Amino acid sequence: MWASGDYPAVAAHVIPNLGAVLTQACGIHAGQRVLDVGAGSGNVAIPAALTGAHVVASDLTPELFDVGRQMANARGVDLEWWEADAESLPFADGEFDVVTSCVGVMFAPHHQDSADEMVRVCAPNGTIGLINWTPTGFIGRMLAVMKPYAPQPPPGAQPPPLWGDEAHVRDLLGDRVTDVVARRDVVRVDRFDGPGEFRDYFKTNYGPTIAVYKALNDTEGAAGTADAADKAAALDAELVDLARQHDVGAGSFAMDWEYLLFTARKRG
């Protein structure tokens, strides 16, 4: 899913500052060993590396790494890129001083497995830092809008925006962490001229949106072409309406997308 479209462009042009926000919140600094889970093209990994930390960017979709390497080279930093499943990380217990994920781990289907792995590879007294879209924010609502049109998720899969619910994340990490700091914030998205341009951009570039439209065509097949077109048109309209609802009325089209920033310290 994430190899389709152009997620590096989404990360770089739509939400370019979230990686730096998480890097700062985690207090990442030179000499630390940092793992970014669901790193994509490095929206956290590159800002973390710029501090002088030794950074490993891990993701299940290595197709995103080429762009990440180019971006890292342009910024003058070097980091490791590892193909890795968030639910089964190929790293040793306690290997990293800081473990992060920015709107990445939330898309792994089995939340507890991913949370357990992040805690496992984090060193005692190390930091776990997360930014995830909230269920009630724009992306959480967008995923809910798309859900009726999407194929059934795999057994046991949980909705990604639950990672943006503080109580859910606290339950996942349990008493293995302390010093929890959690706050909701928003990122202003103002690069689109209007709701229609936003929808068309995400239909072209954002993996989950691409996957839903593709599934409509694949499920309906040739015999159901008209029905597939009707459903696609309905989803088109719903996405435009959702974007319109989130226009903050700043003079030109702009939306505030809500996320949960969550940091904690692993117990020693």
Side-chain angles (χ1 to χ4, degrees):
M1 178 175 73
W2 294 104
S4 61
D6 190 354
Y7 185 73
V10 176
H13 301 144
V14 181
I15 52 171
N17 299 320
L18 284 188
V21 169
L22 186 55
T23 297
Q24 183 176 18
C26 291
I28 295 172
H29 57 78
Q32 288 184 313
R33 186 162 172 82
V34 178
L35 173 67
D36 188 34
V37 180
S41 52
N43 62 333
V44 177
I46 293 172
L50 285 167
T51 71
H54 179 80
V55 180
V56 176
S58 70
D59 201 284
L60 192 61
T61 309
E63 292 88 345
L64 303 174
F65 292 168
D66 286 344
V67 173
R69 290 188 181 98
Q70 294 171 16
M71 295 172 64
N73 288 338
R75 303 290 295 276
V77 293
D78 188 29
L79 54 150
E80 298 181 45
W81 301 88
W82 282 64
E83 181 178 354
D85 184 346
E87 297 179 4
S88 182
L89 294 170
F91 306 111
D93 294 358
E95 187 171 341
F96 298 94
D97 302 302
V98 184
V99 181
T100 64
S101 187
C102 180
V103 297
V105 73
M106 65 182 291
F107 290 99
H110 305 103
H111 296 186
Q112 191 63 64
D113 291 345
S114 298
D116 291 348
E117 283 293 272
M118 295 183 76
V119 173
R120 180 184 66 80
V121 302
C122 186
N125 298 309
T127 299
I128 296 172
L130 304 163
I131 283 180
N132 292 303
W133 303 120
T134 65
T136 55
F138 178 78
I139 295 295
R141 292 187 63 193
M142 186 186 77
L143 294 173
V145 163
M146 295 193 301
K147 185 177 179 180
Y149 301 91
Q152 287 296 313
Q158 294 176 280
L162 282 178
W163 275 95
D165 179 273
E166 179 184 345
H168 181 69
V169 181
R170 284 180 177 270
D171 285 345
L172 292 174
L173 300 178
D175 61 4
R176 298 173 295 180
V177 300
T178 186
D179 298 340
V180 170
V181 177
R183 64 178 174 86
R184 294 188 176 203
D185 207 338
V186 297
V187 56
R188 174 66 57 88
V189 175
D190 57 5
R191 73 170 310 277
F192 304 108
D193 289 337
E197 184 184 350
F198 155 76
R199 177 203 60 205
D200 294 344
Y201 182 90
F202 263 53
K203 285 176 68 174
T204 302
N205 294 288
Y206 190 60
T209 310
I210 294 168
V212 169
Y213 279 94
K214 183 178 184 299
L216 282 177
N217 289 323
D218 291 348
T219 300
E220 299 300 333
T225 300
D227 193 28
D230 288 344
K231 290 180 179 179
L235 180 53
D236 279 350
E238 288 194 56
L239 291 175
V240 165
D241 184 56
L242 181 67
R244 186 178 293 114
Q245 291 174 33
H246 281 77
D247 183 3
V248 297
S252 59
F253 180 69
M255 298 178 283
D256 286 341
W257 294 1
E258 186 183 63
Y259 62 85
L260 175 72
L261 174 62
F262 185 103
T263 60
R265 179 172 61 84
K266 181 178 173 179
R267 290 189 184 274

